Amino acid sequence: MTQLPSISIGPVRIEAPVILAPMTGVTDRPFRRIVKRYGAGLTVTEMIASQAMIRETRQSLQKAAWDPIEDPVSMQLAGCSPSEMAEAAKLNEDRGAAIIDINMGCPVKKVVNGDAGSALMRQIPLATEIIAATVKAVKVPVTLKMRMGWDHNSLNAPELARIAEDLGVRMITVHGRTRNQMYKGEADWAFIRKVKESVSLPVIANGDINSIADAATALEQSGADGVMIGRGAYGKPWLLGQVMHWLRTGERLPDPSMDEQYAVITEQYEAMLGHYGPEIGVNVARKHIGWYTRGLHGSAEFRNAFNKEGDAGRALAMLRNFYAPWLSKAAA
């Protein structure tokens, strides 16, 4: 068991530094609400493009929507213009963000080709300007998420972390891969220790943390002050709560019963219909349903049929029928 102390991100105190990673198309408000209820020290919104935030597009406002249960909430921004990042940060502060997180880690081609995300790790002068402008624009604390570097020939995360600390950033999260690795190979948690040793502010380890054992090893190898869990929470919104509980007590909580899992799935499904509207909600829900049902008997055939159903009501009935054999009579 590792008893992690709380961390402070400026005036924001995080009692248990187990954080939900921002994941585009995944960590929307319905999902984050459930994760927070099971237990998470902090949740971060999906990445929001600074230009879209300034224009207040429907999608950007949807991504910036948060539930009171999440308070304090961190809103993540991506962009390549210091002035636009500053303006978007101020808008999000006005909308209630407790923390502004700058994305310098997204490896996706569309983002990188726009000189945002992890592209900024090979443009340190521009990255410096963006950090400085964002910190200056808001009163709430600013954090930074990055990778180890662009590739293994330019592992400059420690350098960028020192710059960020000098400019007033209050926490650094490092995904233990380079941009060119995308999500291939294994996260290098040991490298994160180099970032931790370069700064005095809290450093969070990210990448491939899919279990309590992974969290323990990541903390040991990195010396980090906490962990950020992303893909490990696919279909397991209770994982962060399990990690938090283990860190506090050494006890490993079991996964919820099938009755409880079914209740969570239907709650999230119906919340997605309300968040996106029935037509889009059904489409967005498909990947979540796939993650929840993975490994269950007949799940491949079920997912194949579910993914073809466009009617929200019929899709819910299919979900209910699939889970029926595993539920108690009261839940069914």
Side-chain angles (χ1 to χ4, degrees):
M1 182 187 70
T2 301
Q3 181 66 48
L4 277 185
S6 61
I7 62 173
S8 293
I9 307 172
V12 180
R13 188 175 182 84
I14 306 299
E15 292 298 333
V18 179
I19 302 170
L20 178 65
M23 295 179 285
T24 299
V26 178
T27 55
D28 53 20
R29 181 171 62 181
F31 184 68
R32 295 196 315 270
R33 174 184 170 85
I34 292 172
V35 170
K36 185 68 174 181
R37 194 171 68 221
Y38 272 108
L42 183 71
T43 56
V44 188
T45 66
E46 298 172 84
M47 181 183 70
I48 306 169
S50 55
Q51 286 185 345
M53 190 71 236
I54 292 168
R55 296 197 306 271
E56 294 193 333
T57 63
R58 181 184 61 81
Q59 188 179 56
S60 70
L61 293 176
Q62 204 169 51
K63 288 181 177 181
W66 54 283
D67 192 280
I69 194 176
E70 296 183 78
D71 190 42
V73 68
S74 173
M75 294 194 186
Q76 189 184 71
L77 293 172
C80 60
S81 163
S83 61
E84 289 178 351
M85 284 289 286
E87 185 177 353
K90 186 67 176 71
L91 286 170
N92 273 341
E93 179 183 40
D94 292 343
R95 292 180 62 83
I99 298 166
I100 300 296
D101 187 60
I102 301 174
N103 183 306
M104 293 191 183
C106 180
V108 175
K109 191 173 181 180
K110 179 180 177 182
V111 175
V112 168
N113 285 350
D115 292 330
S118 55
L120 291 166
M121 297 202 72
R122 58 178 182 176
Q123 301 181 57
I124 296 299
L126 178 56
T128 300
E129 290 181 31
I130 287 173
I131 294 169
T134 305
V135 171
K136 185 178 179 180
V138 294
K139 296 178 181 177
V140 298
V142 174
T143 60
L144 177 64
K145 190 170 190 287
M146 64 172 84
R147 289 197 163 214
M148 297 193 301
W150 179 260
D151 56 31
H152 277 88
N153 294 319
S154 56
L155 300 177
N156 58 354
E159 175 192 356
L160 183 56
R162 286 191 294 269
I163 291 170
E165 181 176 34
D166 290 342
L167 292 172
V169 163
R170 300 301 188 94
M171 185 181 79
I172 303 283
T173 300
V174 184
H175 183 121
R177 286 184 174 88
T178 66
R179 184 274 164 180
N180 281 356
Q181 283 182 278
M182 300 295 285
Y183 295 99
K184 297 177 182 177
E186 295 181 353
D188 187 350
W189 298 322
F191 176 86
I192 298 172
R193 185 176 289 273
K194 296 182 180 180
V195 179
K196 175 61 183 171
E197 293 173 349
S198 299
V199 295
S200 59
L201 44 70
V203 172
I204 306 299
N206 176 229
D208 291 352
I209 300 174
N210 302 316
S211 66
I212 290 173
D214 290 339
T217 305
L219 289 168
E220 180 184 5
Q221 292 185 4
S222 68
D225 301 283
V227 293
M228 178 176 279
I229 297 176
R231 291 175 294 162
Y234 284 1
K236 297 184 292 182
W238 44 82
L239 175 61
L240 280 80
Q242 290 172 322
V243 172
M244 285 175 61
H245 185 81
W246 178 79
L247 288 170
R248 287 170 173 160
T249 68
E251 179 188 11
R252 294 174 180 264
L253 293 176
D255 287 345
S257 67
M258 290 299 289
D259 286 349
E260 184 175 339
Q261 290 187 36
Y262 173 69
V264 166
I265 295 168
T266 53
E267 176 190 344
Q268 185 180 343
Y269 176 79
E270 290 171 351
M272 293 176 84
L273 299 182
H275 188 64
Y276 295 106
E279 185 175 345
I280 296 176
V282 170
N283 292 335
V284 176
R286 288 170 180 162
K287 56 178 172 284
H288 289 276
I289 300 301
W291 294 326
Y292 278 117
T293 58
R294 184 178 297 155
L296 295 177
H297 178 71
S299 60
E301 295 84 353
F302 164 74
R303 288 195 299 271
N304 185 51
F306 186 89
N307 290 344
K308 295 175 182 177
E309 181 54 69
D311 180 82
R314 288 196 296 267
L316 181 59
M318 291 173 65
L319 186 64
R320 183 169 57 245
N321 291 337
F322 175 73
Y323 271 92
W326 291 286
L327 304 181
S328 67
K329 292 183 178 180

